[in-house]
Amino acid sequence: MNRVCLLILFAFINLPLFAQKTFWASKVVAFSSEYADKETTKENRAIQVLGKPNKLPQVGYSVCAWQPMTQNNSINEEFIIVSFDTLMPVRQIAIAENFGQGAITHVDVFDENNNIHPIWINNTPPTNELGKMLNLILNQMTTFKVRSVRVSLNTSKVKGWNQIDAIAISQSDQPIKAFINLANNMPSQIVKENLGKNVNSEFRELAPVIAPDGKTLYYTRWKHPANVGYAKKQDIWFSELQADKTWGPAKPFPEPINNSEHNAICAIYPDGKTLLLNNVYMPNGEMSKGISISQKTASGWGFPEQVAIADFKNKSEYAEYSIAPNGRILLISAQLDDTEGGKDLYVSFLQDNKSWSRPVNLGKSVNTAEDEGMPFIAADSKTLYFSTKGFPGYGNNDLFVTRRLDDSWTKWSEPQNLGPMINTSEWDGYFTISAVGDYGYFSSQEKSLGEEDIFKLKIPEAIKPEVVVQVSGGVYNSADKKPVGAKVKVQSTMDGDTVCVTFDPATGDYKFMLPTKKKYTISASQKGYLSSSEVLDFENEKDFHEVKKNLFLFPIAAGQKITLNSVFFEQSKYELLPASFQELNHIVATMRENPKMEIMLEGHTDNQGDWNENLKLSKQRVTEVKGYLIKNGIEEKRIQVQGYGSTRPVASNNSEEKRKLNRRVEVTIVKI
């Protein structure tokens, strides 16, 4: 008697460590069989029982659940044994029966010494329930730590297939429930506005893509009478925002972008001049799987050119794509060899040769055995929206949001459902947000004019991406102020993230989106010119706005002088900071292109502190810059240095903003 009391006391002493916490199965120890056929990969395998429920609280068939190979089998018992990350006494075992509920005959547990303990025998006849959470709550805590749980089934008890979605243990006597992981603090009411007859029709309107400036909406129409070709397949249409904030009458996109095959826009680059298009356009008018890019020119949109992605062999008939604002990150929905099942979300990176890297799976936190599709990466390059039925939801396909946790692009927050005010009992997908972050656009069947329509809604704070700033402008010759075609480059001073766009005077301003909470350097480069750079400081910006920034190039000529605005040092020190390398590399490249060029590096400080120390520091800093140029292949004899300290100010020293202008490194061309 005393021994029993001690064991029970031991269990209650350990209870606070795990109270109210649910532990879901983390490893499959053994199983009798698992469903498999030549069309599937990981669908319905034993591993699908691991982790949280993927189907409940909805019930019904799911490929994200373990399904034994046999059905209606009264001879051979089916079973699965799972273990958990934590060994502990338990009060409750929960089993998520999402489909064919009632086939479980008994449940046993194994202790830390692998001794088996019967927990429950099912003596009740099957009900008409399709699925439910089976909560086995014990009269008291087990007097031993549970290592694993075995669930046994007689599949003849319930006709058809039997599936188990998840298995959990807990020390609580409060029934474990499956729930939908909703985005936090979502409003109770959200107004979804059908964009009306100017945009929608009785036919299918899908895949909205909003231009970076929010003024043009591109989308796909299926089987519309005005589509190109006899079969009236998918064509691209667009609508333009009117002065009264309504959308104007839809217009079909011109040929050759629209042809007799399926046509769709996957994404539009932040410059508004580059379209990412579904399928590869062949010169003979035929199409093949893949993606293409079309560039806007002075005469219109150019013929789409194929985008090469390494080792990209999509087994699915469908694929979707989204481009990150820096133009160097491609999000893909496709079925590749390492899929979790069906289509998964992948990431590919732009290489120096303009091809794209082998796609990398985003990982199990995002991908399931169901199809994950229609990715959209917001302008902040962190917030990802996608559609799936692989997580608990409200309908056939729900919209979810997840946020990137690091720079690997494979670690993401647990996806959150956008909620019943956005998701319906029908199919929901193709969610996109304007760069401003004010409105979202998506396809839905609910309350449509026929089939799927395009809707918009005001984005709740809970699911908004981080704030971005739109930067645009032109590039000009400093001598005559005429526009110059050039490459514009922006680089984060914090993490080195780079955005490159091309400025073409014939097609207008350059344009891109930059996440706030960072500092950047921006520069333009073109052969025959010295490039200057400037600092863009958005660390304290809280709202979307547009910044106009014109850049100037300086013709290479003897006597030409520029200030290196993006060369940085620690306060009162002379060591170069890594954020300086981009601008210095421009100098290296220019001197390589002009092998007879010689330069003078001049260092300047403000008037704060000791005069002699400032003079010394200015000389040390330009000597450090000289060392960097030499290290990168420039002959020492081509570089002179001079430190002037505080003797040559270009602004007053009455404020910190003015003093910043005096702390500078200048380059003068001595000889060309």
Side-chain angles (χ1 to χ4, degrees):
M1 182 69 178
N2 289 337
R3 186 180 179 189
V4 172
C5 290
L6 285 172
L7 287 170
I8 294 174
L9 178 61
F10 178 76
F12 277 97
I13 288 172
N14 281 272
L15 175 60
L17 294 174
F18 308 103
Q20 304 299 320
K21 189 167 184 180
T22 299
F23 293 88
W24 299 97
S26 59
K27 181 181 179 181
V28 175
V29 177
F31 57 91
S32 55
S33 71
E34 60 183 2
Y35 183 82
D37 62 39
K38 64 180 182 179
E39 301 297 327
T40 62
T41 54
K42 299 179 183 179
E43 296 94 323
N44 294 126
R45 302 297 174 89
I47 57 172
Q48 298 302 332
V49 83
L50 302 179
K52 296 179 180 180
N54 292 82
K55 185 68 175 181
L56 293 183
Q58 274 195 339
V59 298
Y61 181 86
S62 173
V63 297
C64 296
W66 170 58
Q67 178 175 292
M69 192 66 188
T70 64
Q71 57 179 322
N72 307 322
N73 186 345
S74 61
I75 300 174
N76 297 317
E77 179 182 79
E78 298 281 6
F79 72 89
I80 190 166
I81 303 174
V82 296
S83 61
F84 304 84
D85 287 337
T86 300
L87 272 69
M88 65 181 189
V90 305
R91 183 76 187 276
Q92 179 180 180
I93 298 169
I95 303 168
E97 298 181 272
N98 62 288
F99 190 64
Q101 183 270 326
I104 297 175
T105 57
H106 56 282
V107 177
D108 309 298
V109 299
F110 295 85
D111 62 26
E112 59 265 49
N113 297 315
N114 282 327
N115 298 313
I116 191 167
H117 301 265
I119 292 294
W120 180 74
I121 297 176
N122 186 5
N123 294 316
T124 60
T127 67
N128 292 324
E129 290 181 281
L130 190 62
K132 71 174 185 179
M133 182 71 79
L134 176 63
N135 298 98
L136 305 178
I137 300 174
L138 311 182
N139 292 329
Q140 63 180 35
M141 199 82 64
T142 61
T143 57
F144 52 85
K145 293 181 179 179
V146 171
R147 179 184 296 276
S148 53
V149 173
R150 181 174 71 182
V151 179
S152 301
L153 296 82
N154 178 348
T155 61
S156 67
K157 290 187 66 175
V158 179
K159 290 184 178 181
W161 293 111
N162 312 104
Q163 294 185 338
I164 294 179
D165 192 2
I167 301 172
I169 57 175
S170 173
Q171 291 193 332
S172 171
D173 61 358
Q174 297 300 309
I176 294 170
K177 296 181 180 180
F179 62 91
I180 297 172
N181 186 33
L182 291 172
N184 298 325
N185 302 316
M186 289 288 283
S188 58
Q189 294 295 323
I190 295 175
V191 177
K192 295 188 292 187
E193 178 186 343
N194 188 303
L195 294 192
K197 293 183 179 180
N198 275 355
V199 172
N200 295 312
S201 69
E202 62 185 287
F203 301 93
R204 300 181 70 183
E205 279 78 36
L206 300 166
V209 174
I210 189 77
D213 61 8
K215 296 179 181 178
T216 306
L217 179 68
Y218 304 93
Y219 59 99
T220 299
R221 266 182 169 169
W222 202 336
K223 299 290 186 180
H224 193 279
N227 282 2
V228 176
Y230 72 93
K232 305 300 182 183
K233 296 179 179 179
Q234 293 181 357
D235 270 9
I236 299 165
W237 290 65
F238 67 98
S239 175
E240 295 172 311
L241 193 65
Q242 306 299 295
D244 62 359
K245 303 302 181 182
T246 62
W247 291 99
K251 304 173 185 176
F253 219 76
E255 298 184 63
I257 305 299
N258 277 335
N259 59 25
S260 60
E261 299 299 323
H262 286 303
N263 311 118
I265 289 180
C266 304
I268 185 167
Y269 282 59
D271 62 5
K273 303 170 189 174
T274 308
L275 296 177
L276 189 67
L277 301 164
N278 208 4
N279 293 320
V280 175
Y281 286 68
M282 312 295 285
N284 63 1
E286 296 180 356
M287 308 278 267
S288 63
K289 281 187 177 182
I291 49 174
S292 304
I293 277 182
S294 175
Q295 303 279 357
K296 191 174 186 179
T297 67
S299 57
W301 293 96
F303 189 84
E305 298 181 2
Q306 181 177 0
V307 174
I309 305 174
D311 299 326
F312 181 59
K313 297 177 182 178
N314 184 16
K315 298 178 182 179
S316 172
E317 183 180 353
Y318 303 102
E320 296 94 29
Y321 307 84
S322 180
I323 196 81
N326 65 7
R328 304 179 65 84
I329 310 291
L330 184 66
L331 277 298
I332 305 170
S333 168
Q335 185 176 357
L336 306 184
D337 288 337
D338 61 345
T339 175
E340 293 297 321
K343 290 192 303 175
D344 277 3
L345 300 185
Y346 291 82
V347 62
S348 177
F349 304 95
L350 184 64
Q351 308 298 292
D352 291 339
N353 64 359
K354 303 303 180 183
S355 68
W356 291 84
S357 68
R358 185 179 187 276
V360 176
N361 193 291
L362 293 196
K364 295 180 181 179
S365 60
V366 171
N367 291 314
T368 72
E370 291 283 3
D371 283 334
E372 277 71 50
M374 294 150 278
F376 173 75
I377 188 73
D380 63 359
S381 291
K382 290 183 179 179
T383 308
L384 174 65
Y385 305 87
F386 66 100
S387 183
T388 185
K389 59 179 177 179
F391 299 105
Y394 298 93
N396 182 36
N397 232 58
D398 274 13
L399 291 162
F400 291 82
V401 60
T402 180
R403 301 182 194 275
R404 182 165 56 88
L405 301 178
D406 64 15
D407 291 333
S408 70
W409 287 80
T410 59
K411 294 181 180 178
W412 298 83
S413 64
E414 182 179 355
Q416 294 179 315
N417 191 292
L418 299 195
M421 291 294 101
I422 295 176
N423 288 312
T424 71
S425 60
E426 303 295 336
W427 182 94
D428 300 290
Y430 294 111
F431 194 76
T432 185
I433 293 179
S434 66
V436 179
D438 52 357
Y439 285 98
Y441 299 83
F442 60 102
S443 297
S444 183
Q445 292 177 313
E446 187 179 58
K447 297 181 180 179
S448 68
L449 302 182
E451 300 190 59
E452 291 94 338
D453 277 358
I454 308 297
F455 290 77
K456 81 169 185 177
L457 59 86
K458 192 166 183 62
I459 298 295
E461 289 293 329
I463 61 171
K464 270 189 176 182
E466 293 183 10
V467 175
V468 298
V469 173
Q470 179 176 287
V471 181
S472 64
V475 182
Y476 301 91
N477 185 325
S478 64
D480 59 16
K481 303 301 184 291
K482 291 183 178 179
V484 179
K487 178 178 286 186
V488 179
K489 189 173 184 179
V490 176
Q491 189 170 46
S492 166
T493 61
M494 296 171 60
D495 54 26
D497 188 33
T498 302
V499 182
C500 288
V501 298
T502 299
F503 172 68
D504 181 355
T507 57
D509 291 356
Y510 70 82
K511 188 179 297 182
F512 43 75
M513 305 293 170
L514 296 175
T516 56
K517 302 179 183 178
K518 290 183 179 182
K519 284 184 180 179
Y520 301 87
T521 60
I522 180 171
S523 63
S525 60
Q526 179 58 280
K527 192 171 183 178
Y529 294 87
L530 281 176
S531 63
S532 65
S533 67
E534 295 188 43
V535 176
L536 301 174
D537 186 353
F538 301 139
E539 285 189 307
N540 298 316
E541 300 291 349
K542 296 181 179 180
D543 299 301
F544 174 87
H545 64 280
E546 299 181 22
V547 173
K548 190 77 172 180
K549 179 63 65 175
N550 292 327
L551 303 173
F552 294 90
L553 294 172
F554 298 82
I556 293 176
Q560 186 68 262
K561 176 183 286 191
I562 64 168
T563 299
L564 302 181
N565 293 310
S566 298
V567 171
F568 306 104
F569 305 90
E570 289 282 4
Q571 181 70 35
S572 302
K573 296 181 180 179
Y574 59 85
E575 289 82 10
L576 280 168
L577 295 178
S580 309
F581 299 161
Q582 176 183 328
E583 183 157 38
L584 295 182
N585 289 339
H586 283 312
I587 300 297
V588 170
T590 301
M591 294 188 75
R592 286 176 177 171
E593 292 172 358
N594 299 273
K596 295 183 180 180
M597 179 190 291
E598 296 180 11
I599 62 172
M600 168 74 79
L601 297 172
E602 301 175 3
H604 304 270
T605 69
D606 59 29
N607 68 348
Q608 304 298 292
D610 182 80
W611 189 92
N612 289 314
E613 287 299 318
N614 284 339
L615 187 64
K616 178 182 176 182
L617 180 62
S618 66
K619 181 67 175 292
Q620 288 173 323
R621 285 181 168 178
V622 289
T623 301
E624 187 79 358
V625 173
K626 176 180 178 179
Y628 182 88
L629 301 181
I630 293 171
K631 182 180 177 181
N632 284 274
I634 305 302
E635 295 175 279
E636 182 177 2
K637 66 181 182 180
R638 299 173 63 191
I639 309 167
Q640 303 175 39
V641 296
Q642 182 65 56
Y644 290 102
S646 59
T647 62
R648 296 188 177 184
V650 293
S652 74
N653 284 292
N654 294 332
S655 68
E656 175 56 22
E657 287 302 311
K658 297 294 185 181
R659 288 193 291 270
K660 281 182 181 179
L661 300 176
N662 291 328
R663 300 192 295 265
R664 67 197 190 279
V665 172
E666 295 177 332
V667 175
T668 301
I669 299 176
V670 176
K671 181 180 177 182
I672 187 68

